[in-house]
Amino acid sequence: MSFSSVVKDELSRQCPTARHCQIAETAAILSMCGRIIIDEDDRFSIKIHTESISVARKYFTLLQKSFNINSDVSVRCNYYLKKRRTYIVTVSDDAVARKILYATRLMTPDGDISEDFSVSDHVLIQNPCCMRAFLRGSFLAGGSVSNPLKTYHFEISCSSNEKAHQLLQLMAQFNIEGKVITRKRHYIVYIKEGAQIVDMLNVMGASNSLMEMENIRILKEMRNSVNRRVNCETANINKTVSAAVKQVEDITLIRDSIGFSQLSDGLQEVARLRLEYPEATLVELGKMLSTPVGKSGVNHRLRKLSMIADELRCHGR
């Protein structure tokens, strides 16, 4: 089971106790994957089509708890699409369908149908608890989240730009910053930052999935930190080794060209120690001197030796 399926399964088994939150979540599911059918006698029926059994189960439960009705559930298999199943939950009674549509504000008191919600004047999602329920329903019906072991990506697919920006505004109420892109005529609300996805799981109430993702994030951050430290230390070692090799080359050139007798006592001593201990650090070389000096003192003498070697190379040309 994918991480996205695990999250949806967890959310599908949670049902808010307050009726206004149940209606808000029902409204989100209907808005994302619902269909309103009007026959020739002007009778209404409602259907949702989903490939997720978690969504079908949650919608069925919400209708049962908030409206005290049992909807019809059917399953359709498409053998041309790898036997993928589609779950269809239907409310065929006209009076009940109208009641649901009016309660979820998809139908006005005059009987007009509106599929796009507006945060500014929509009383259904004014309370924080209802906002959480609406976001949860939207994710269940049209969302997905990637496996945090691979990458961080959370998204909800919307059929209109208005719905997408409504979700952005609701997410902003919980200090979550999402973005919108278009993909195949759909508007995708997405989050790419791991901490923000964790916050979103918390808002929706997926506590178990949240803990699992947090554990993965901590392990990944620790691993990345260790890798950065190892890379940094490796780079420093490579830099030190390269410098030591260059120093040995310079000192060898001086020895073979003019000999150490032309050098001052301090430079001679450092030169001989570097040839004898090519892997020693500057601090270690400084301690080996007859009169110990610090790292900067050793480095100063080695720079002088390098300058002498460079002059010899120029004259050699």
Side-chain angles (χ1 to χ4, degrees):
M1 184 182 290
S2 67
F3 183 71
S4 188
S5 297
V6 170
V7 175
K8 287 190 176 184
D9 182 69
E10 180 181 0
L11 294 178
S12 71
R13 299 181 188 278
Q14 298 181 14
C15 191
T17 55
R19 187 171 185 269
H20 49 84
C21 293
Q22 295 171 0
I23 293 176
E25 192 164 353
T26 303
I29 295 174
L30 277 173
S31 177
M32 299 299 289
C33 63
R35 297 180 185 178
I36 301 170
I37 302 169
I38 307 174
D39 65 16
E40 62 275 7
D41 297 322
D42 200 31
R43 289 179 300 194
F44 283 75
S45 61
I46 306 171
K47 289 185 178 181
I48 70 159
H49 291 243
T50 177
E51 294 177 359
S52 171
I53 190 173
S54 299
V55 177
R57 178 174 58 234
K58 184 62 176 287
Y59 180 63
F60 181 88
T61 303
L62 287 169
L63 291 182
Q64 194 175 46
K65 288 183 175 293
S66 57
F67 297 100
N68 194 28
I69 63 169
N70 290 318
S71 50
D72 299 322
V73 181
S74 58
V75 182
R76 180 184 300 166
C77 293
N78 191 326
Y79 290 95
Y80 296 100
L81 296 176
K82 298 180 181 180
K83 298 184 178 180
R84 184 175 295 175
R85 293 182 177 180
T86 300
Y87 300 90
I88 304 169
V89 185
T90 305
V91 176
S92 54
D93 184 271
D94 175 73
V96 175
R98 289 174 182 270
K99 181 180 179 181
I100 294 171
L101 292 173
Y102 179 69
T104 55
R105 300 302 194 272
L106 284 171
M107 175 186 284
T108 66
D110 297 329
D112 297 326
I113 301 297
S114 173
E115 294 186 2
D116 292 320
F117 296 148
S118 173
V119 171
S120 60
D121 60 0
H122 204 304
V123 297
L124 193 67
I125 44 178
Q126 286 185 345
N127 298 325
C129 57
C130 294
M131 294 179 188
R132 292 174 184 270
F134 191 87
L135 288 170
R136 181 168 55 245
S138 297
F139 173 76
L140 275 170
S144 65
V145 57
S146 63
N147 187 339
L149 283 170
K150 299 178 180 178
T151 185
Y152 298 132
H153 184 82
F154 174 101
E155 69 174 44
I156 300 176
S157 177
C158 304
S159 59
S160 69
N161 190 40
E162 291 77 12
K163 290 181 182 179
H165 280 82
Q166 183 193 37
L167 291 181
L168 287 183
Q169 293 180 51
L170 291 176
M171 290 160 60
Q173 297 297 314
F174 301 97
N175 297 317
I176 298 174
E177 183 179 355
K179 296 181 180 180
V180 177
I181 59 171
T182 56
R183 185 195 301 156
K184 295 181 180 179
R185 299 182 181 178
H186 283 79
Y187 298 83
I188 311 299
V189 178
Y190 71 95
I191 307 171
K192 299 288 285 186
E193 209 275 316
Q196 292 269 287
I197 296 176
V198 168
D199 291 341
M200 191 65 185
L201 293 177
N202 182 49
V203 166
M204 296 188 302
S207 55
N208 292 335
S209 300
L210 181 155
M211 291 303 299
E212 181 180 349
M213 183 169 178
E214 276 288 62
N215 289 336
I216 293 172
R217 284 184 67 234
I218 291 171
L219 288 175
K220 287 177 70 174
E221 288 175 4
M222 288 179 60
R223 189 181 298 115
N224 291 338
S225 177
V226 170
N227 288 339
R228 283 193 298 269
R229 186 172 300 176
V230 169
N231 291 338
C232 182
E233 291 177 356
T234 301
N236 289 336
I237 291 172
N238 291 336
K239 183 179 178 181
T240 301
V241 170
S242 298
V245 170
K246 175 67 165 55
Q247 292 159 8
V248 170
E249 290 177 351
D250 290 341
I251 294 169
T252 301
L253 175 63
I254 294 171
R255 182 195 63 189
D256 297 343
S257 299
I258 61 174
F260 290 159
S261 60
Q262 302 295 321
L263 304 175
S264 66
D265 292 342
L267 293 182
Q268 287 186 45
E269 189 177 11
V270 167
R272 289 191 172 94
L273 283 173
R274 173 49 86 196
L275 290 179
E276 187 176 355
Y277 303 100
E279 297 180 357
T281 65
L282 299 185
V283 174
E284 292 170 343
L285 286 177
K287 293 179 179 179
M288 295 177 191
L289 295 171
S290 56
T291 302
V293 299
K295 178 180 178 181
S296 60
V298 174
N299 190 44
H300 177 70
R301 296 184 188 184
L302 289 171
R303 279 204 305 269
K304 281 189 174 182
L305 291 170
S306 177
M307 291 172 63
I308 294 171
D310 289 341
E311 290 180 4
L312 290 173
R313 290 187 183 97
C314 289
H315 291 311
R317 291 176 185 174

